[in-house]
Amino acid sequence: MRKICFIAGLILLGACNKYDIPGLFVASSPSSDKRFEASVAYNDAEGYPSVVIPTEDYTFYAATDIHVYHSTRNLDKFIADLSADTGSAPFWINLGDIVDGKDQMKVFDEHVKAAPQRMFGTPGNHDLYFGQWKQWQELYHTSSYWFEALLPSGAKDLYLCLDSAGSTLGHRQRAWAEEVLTAARGEYRHIIVFTHTHFFRKDWSQETTSNWSQEETMALTGLFSRCGVSMVLTGHDHFQERTTYMGVQYAVLQSLKDGTPDPGYTRCEVGDQITLTLVPIDIP
């Protein structure tokens, strides 16, 4: 029995940088409401950004569930592809779970700095382990915000980032989202919401990890439909899925994680319609 306990202890010690074992019992990052309060304080001080788009039709890229843990092979291929497409893609969106262990967020950040496009990101549940919210704040400042894409004709697209890393928006963020979307209704060509946790689970690949409650799912999907949201981009499930519900397109994007089956990122073409294309990562 002692030998078994000793071996188990060694395994736990060896895994302590990848698995937030204390976090299984005590939350190691602030609650949704606390993260939202910090985000709004930053937004109020710094404002909300705009991206000037030179053409009415444009492209952006999205990647999710990269789960950096020392290896960055797929991430680097994605960054290289981004860097080669500076003409049509003014920004890219990160849908969370960028790291898979302690002390990896700065590794991720150093690699994505090589891309010329601006990154807009939302944290995933893995990005809160080990109290990493503090590091997210240091690097990316906010997790609940919006930005506009300004088109030559004077039309605009709205992108709304919601922090669902804790499987809920929390009361304050949800009220803020409703306020933003209600005010935006009819003012934008497209409203695109992006967040980490997906809304419609067709498989159990993530089991019960960080999922919405049924009540919050129904409330948010109803809100998105009433306010004319065009598309909701999510990750978390590691598999590509498409659903249209109450007139809104919901897209779960493929994981970019090293070692995952069929890794890839998504090319998003925005015009009168929004078209998503999976781009497989093909590394010999």
Side-chain angles (χ1 to χ4, degrees):
M1 179 59 73
R2 282 185 187 174
K3 188 175 182 180
I4 293 173
C5 292
F6 177 73
I7 293 172
L10 289 178
I11 292 172
L12 289 174
L13 286 172
C16 65
N17 279 339
K18 187 169 185 180
Y19 302 109
D20 184 10
I21 296 168
L24 295 173
F25 305 98
V26 180
S28 54
S29 287
S31 68
S32 298
D33 282 343
K34 292 294 184 183
R35 298 196 307 275
F36 174 70
E37 288 175 8
S39 293
V40 167
Y42 176 84
N43 299 339
D44 288 346
E46 300 297 327
Y48 293 87
S50 297
V51 179
V52 177
I53 308 294
T55 58
E56 295 298 306
D57 298 348
Y58 62 95
T59 298
F60 70 91
Y61 289 89
T64 189
D65 295 275
I66 302 168
H67 289 280
V68 167
Y69 192 65
H70 304 298
S71 173
T72 60
R73 185 188 66 170
N74 290 350
L75 173 61
D76 291 338
K77 178 62 168 65
F78 169 61
I79 295 301
D81 290 352
L82 268 181
S83 300
D85 191 8
T86 56
S88 64
F91 61 88
W92 73 279
I93 289 177
N94 149 42
L95 292 173
D97 275 4
I98 58 177
V99 296
D100 211 13
K102 189 178 181 181
D103 303 324
Q104 299 297 299
M105 202 170 287
K106 287 186 178 179
V107 175
F108 169 86
D109 189 62
E110 286 300 318
H111 284 259
V112 301
K113 282 177 179 176
Q117 292 91 342
R118 180 170 183 172
M119 182 189 82
F120 293 98
T122 184
N125 49 298
H126 280 254
D127 305 323
L128 298 184
Y129 298 158
F130 300 102
Q132 290 181 119
W133 167 247
K134 182 177 181 181
Q135 193 162 84
W136 179 277
Q137 283 184 289
E138 291 171 357
L139 294 172
Y140 308 120
H141 312 300
T142 178
S143 61
S144 305
Y145 59 94
W146 51 263
F147 69 93
E148 294 179 323
L150 307 179
L151 309 178
S153 65
K156 302 180 291 184
D157 294 333
L158 179 69
Y159 291 79
L160 176 62
C161 176
L162 299 176
D163 179 350
S164 61
S167 75
T168 179
L169 297 189
H171 295 295
R172 295 174 184 176
Q173 185 180 193
R174 182 168 150 187
W176 172 81
E178 183 167 3
E179 180 181 329
V180 171
L181 289 174
T182 301
R185 183 170 47 195
E187 294 295 319
Y188 293 90
R189 180 182 67 167
H190 293 300
I191 300 175
I192 298 172
V193 174
F194 62 99
T195 191
H196 178 68
T197 304
H198 55 82
F199 286 85
F200 301 102
R201 181 183 54 204
K202 294 182 180 178
D203 61 55
W204 282 85
S205 66
Q206 298 300 302
E207 298 178 349
T208 58
T209 305
S210 185
N211 290 313
W212 303 97
S213 69
Q214 183 177 3
E215 293 78 10
E216 191 165 10
T217 295
M218 298 308 296
L220 289 173
T221 54
L223 173 66
F224 298 156
S225 181
R226 291 194 307 275
C227 293
V229 171
S230 301
M231 180 170 285
V232 179
L233 298 174
T234 63
H236 186 55
D237 202 34
H238 291 208
F239 293 99
Q240 181 179 234
E241 293 180 357
R242 301 284 186 270
T243 303
T244 299
Y245 181 67
M246 296 175 65
V248 181
Q249 296 182 66
Y250 291 82
V252 182
L253 304 190
Q254 182 76 343
S255 171
L256 193 66
K257 180 181 179 180
D258 285 6
T260 200
D262 304 317
Y265 57 89
T266 300
R267 179 183 173 94
C268 309
E269 298 178 55
V270 185
D272 291 336
Q273 304 295 323
I274 304 172
T275 303
L276 306 184
T277 303
L278 174 65
V279 182
I281 288 289
D282 185 14
I283 300 177

